[in-house]
Amino acid sequence: MRVVALVSGGKDSCYNMMLCRQYGHQIVALANLLPPDDEVQELDSYMYQTVGHNLIGAYAECMGLPLFRKRLGGTSKSIGMTYERTEGDEVEDLRALLAEVKRRVPDVEAVSCGAIRSDYQRIRVEGVCDSLGLASLSFMWRRDQSELMAEMVESGVHAILVKVACLGLVPEKHLGKTIAQMRPVLENLHSRFGVHVCGEGGEYETLTLDCPLFVLGRIVVDEAAVELDETGEAGNYAVREFHVERKLDGGGGDGSGEIG
């Protein structure tokens, strides 16, 4: 199937794209929801990762694919375990984004989603896809997280931690580290405290700088800073300057668009 991939910048959305390709599907476009204000890194969202959103445009350049983006206008209004269309909810931003992708890429058939454990997220993405006649492809759903992390590292997903918010993860120590470096730390925290190895409990978030699908280039961080919350126990890794290092000669993305 021809697939549009929902990308947040994190390891999960990137690895699910890789699995789509592995199972014979074709990634034809990328889609992303970003904050209404470029200066804001993190929103109080039940659905979307926004930390690192300023680097998402580089994904199109690295992959040579069109990127469709929409600024979030809604919030988490309907937060039950079932969902019906709710005006002003952030889920409706996803519906509008994918509807526009389908309008501009009429032969798209499916959506790649990096959901692993969140029923809240899965139910909403599948509902939106059903309403638009699209299949939802979540190949990591309910898989063992230790196995998934091992696969990601071994398959060449180069992702760094850009948010930490749990016992045992120290902003000044762990932010900016790769998932390969953090894997033994996370396995230890899982054994000791039940931390989710893939961060499915909100323990951390990542930003993918390179993976096998980035055929044209990789993202290189030039300047970043650790930003702590008011407690000093959680924080973000704010990437302020970056560039794309080319992997081969040729052009970048073949188009991009931002929607209302």
Side-chain angles (χ1 to χ4, degrees):
M1 288 190 286
R2 291 170 62 83
V3 178
V4 55
L6 295 176
V7 290
S8 65
K11 62 182 179 8
D12 301 337
S13 57
C14 278
Y15 190 58
N16 200 71
M17 281 196 291
M18 292 172 61
L19 292 175
C20 285
R21 286 279 297 274
Q22 180 179 318
Y23 294 129
H25 303 293
Q26 180 185 5
I27 307 295
V28 298
L30 309 174
N32 169 258
L33 290 156
L34 70 160
D37 182 351
D38 285 339
E39 298 302 313
V40 174
Q41 277 293 311
E42 186 172 15
L43 296 178
D44 184 19
S45 170
Y46 281 53
M47 281 286 291
Y48 313 117
Q49 172 183 323
T50 56
V51 177
H53 68 82
N54 52 314
L55 280 76
I56 297 298
Y59 280 44
E61 187 176 350
C62 290
M63 294 182 68
L65 290 175
L67 168 66
F68 297 91
R69 307 190 79 182
K70 184 184 188 308
R71 293 191 181 272
L72 283 159
T75 58
S76 305
K77 288 192 171 183
S78 176
I79 59 173
M81 286 312 297
T82 59
Y83 180 80
E84 296 183 359
R85 291 193 185 196
T86 303
E87 184 177 354
D89 193 281
E90 61 185 355
V91 175
E92 300 311 314
D93 292 315
L94 176 62
R95 195 187 312 275
L97 172 62
L98 291 179
E100 181 64 10
V101 171
K102 190 173 180 182
R103 185 184 72 82
R104 294 170 63 176
V105 188
D107 56 355
V108 69
E109 302 167 275
V111 175
S112 170
C113 172
I116 296 175
R117 189 174 181 272
S118 170
D119 285 305
Y120 182 95
Q121 183 186 61
R122 179 186 61 83
I123 287 167
R124 284 156 175 77
V125 172
E126 289 183 353
V128 168
C129 288
D130 287 346
S131 74
L132 297 171
L134 298 168
S136 177
L137 304 179
S138 299
F139 291 115
M140 300 184 295
W141 181 248
R142 291 291 181 181
R143 286 194 53 197
D144 181 87
Q145 293 184 43
S146 292
E147 291 180 3
L148 274 175
M149 178 65 83
E151 285 181 17
M152 291 180 197
V153 171
E154 291 164 8
S155 65
V157 175
H158 179 69
I160 60 173
L161 270 64
V162 290
K163 175 184 174 181
V164 295
C166 83
L167 178 68
L169 293 180
V170 181
E172 295 91 339
K173 182 179 181 181
H174 295 130
L175 285 171
K177 298 292 187 183
T178 68
I179 57 172
Q181 293 170 317
M182 290 300 298
R183 182 181 164 201
V185 176
L186 294 166
E187 290 288 0
N188 181 47
L189 292 176
H190 173 67
S191 298
R192 293 173 62 195
F193 306 120
V195 165
H196 295 280
V197 174
C198 286
E200 288 300 291
E203 295 93 339
Y204 69 93
E205 291 179 356
T206 60
L207 183 66
T208 302
L209 303 179
D210 195 13
C211 75
L213 297 182
F214 288 13
V215 293
L216 299 179
R218 61 179 60 83
I219 300 169
V220 178
V221 175
D222 298 313
E223 180 184 344
V226 172
E227 297 180 347
L228 302 177
D229 71 358
E230 61 276 4
T231 70
E233 297 177 354
N236 296 338
Y237 191 67
V239 177
R240 294 173 177 169
E241 300 289 341
F242 69 93
H243 71 276
V244 173
E245 181 179 273
R246 308 302 292 178
K247 288 185 177 178
L248 50 83
D249 293 335
D254 57 7
S256 64
E258 184 170 317
I259 304 165

